[in-house]
């Protein structure tokens, strides 16, 4: 009986929560993914940053994600560029802009800064599992 109650609560909490769209990334949104010698030099940094922006969360989580992007690019020997990129995401990534790259872009528009609930964290986990399964299937078919 107790398990049934927990299951009903979990289902109803998920039903009332907004639905998280599947993860998408465009690399370094409106910015080159690399330089003329290495066209994808800092693209992995941007994809990791996109993951944080997709799932969103609190304002402090955004500050942390932007700092991680800056450090990642600086660690590739692009310290000056890392400051420019940091400034760009700070200016353009607010959750209040109706853009595809805003903070929390995986959720419906106007979510703002808000920590993820347990149900929302479960949605993030589910979407990542689905993405991993899709990638595994794709890579298996490629062989």
């Amino acid at each position: 009986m107790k398990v049934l109650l927990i299951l009903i609560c979990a289902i109803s909490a998920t039903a009332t929560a907004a639905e998280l769209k599947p993860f998408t990334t465009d690399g370094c949104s409106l910015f080159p993914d690399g330089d003329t010698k290495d066209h994808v030099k800092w693209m992995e940094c941007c994809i990791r940053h996109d993951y944080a922006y997709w799932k969103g969360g609190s304002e402090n989580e955004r500050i942390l994600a932007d700092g991680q992007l800056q450090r990642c690019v600086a660690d590739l020997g692009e310290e000056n560029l890392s400051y420019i990129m940091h400034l760009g995401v700070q200016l353009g990534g607010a959750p209040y802009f109706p853009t595809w790259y805003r903070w929390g872009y995986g959720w419906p528009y106007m979510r703002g800064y808000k920590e993820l609930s347990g149900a929302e964290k479960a949605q993030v986990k589910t979407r990542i599992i689905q993405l991993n399964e899709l990638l595994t299937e794709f890579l298996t078919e490629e062989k």
Side-chain angles (χ1 to χ4, degrees):
M1 184 68 165
K2 196 175 191 180
V3 173
L4 182 59
L5 270 175
I6 292 171
L7 184 59
I8 290 170
C9 288
I11 290 170
S12 64
T14 304
T16 60
E19 186 174 341
L20 179 64
K21 293 181 283 190
F23 174 70
T24 59
T25 181
D26 61 357
C28 297
S29 311
L30 305 175
F31 198 84
D33 295 329
D35 59 23
T36 55
K37 294 177 187 165
D38 183 352
H39 298 286
V40 294
K41 185 172 183 177
W42 48 81
M43 186 172 168
E44 182 179 336
C45 301
C46 294
I47 292 171
R48 290 177 185 278
H49 188 251
D50 280 356
Y51 171 74
Y53 265 58
W54 164 74
K55 68 179 183 159
S58 70
E59 187 171 11
N60 285 337
E61 289 172 304
R62 178 178 175 219
I63 291 167
L64 179 64
D66 291 348
Q68 289 170 337
L69 172 66
Q70 183 178 357
R71 280 187 299 283
C72 184
V73 174
D75 287 347
L76 294 171
E78 301 291 346
E79 191 164 347
N80 292 336
L81 183 67
S82 76
Y83 291 113
I84 294 168
M85 291 176 78
H86 186 261
L87 179 62
V89 295
Q90 284 286 292
L91 294 174
Y96 310 112
F97 298 132
T99 60
W100 70 92
Y101 52 81
R102 72 179 185 282
W103 179 251
Y105 69 83
W107 302 102
Y109 179 58
M110 289 307 292
R111 174 181 165 70
Y113 294 112
K114 186 169 72 171
E115 286 193 36
L116 298 177
S117 69
E120 290 167 335
K121 288 177 183 177
Q123 284 192 63
V124 170
K125 185 176 181 178
T126 298
R127 289 296 188 187
I128 294 305
I129 289 169
Q130 290 169 343
L131 180 60
N132 284 335
E133 289 171 351
L134 182 66
L135 288 171
T136 300
E137 183 180 320
F138 174 76
L139 294 172
T140 303
E141 287 177 3
E142 288 293 308
K143 290 182 180 181

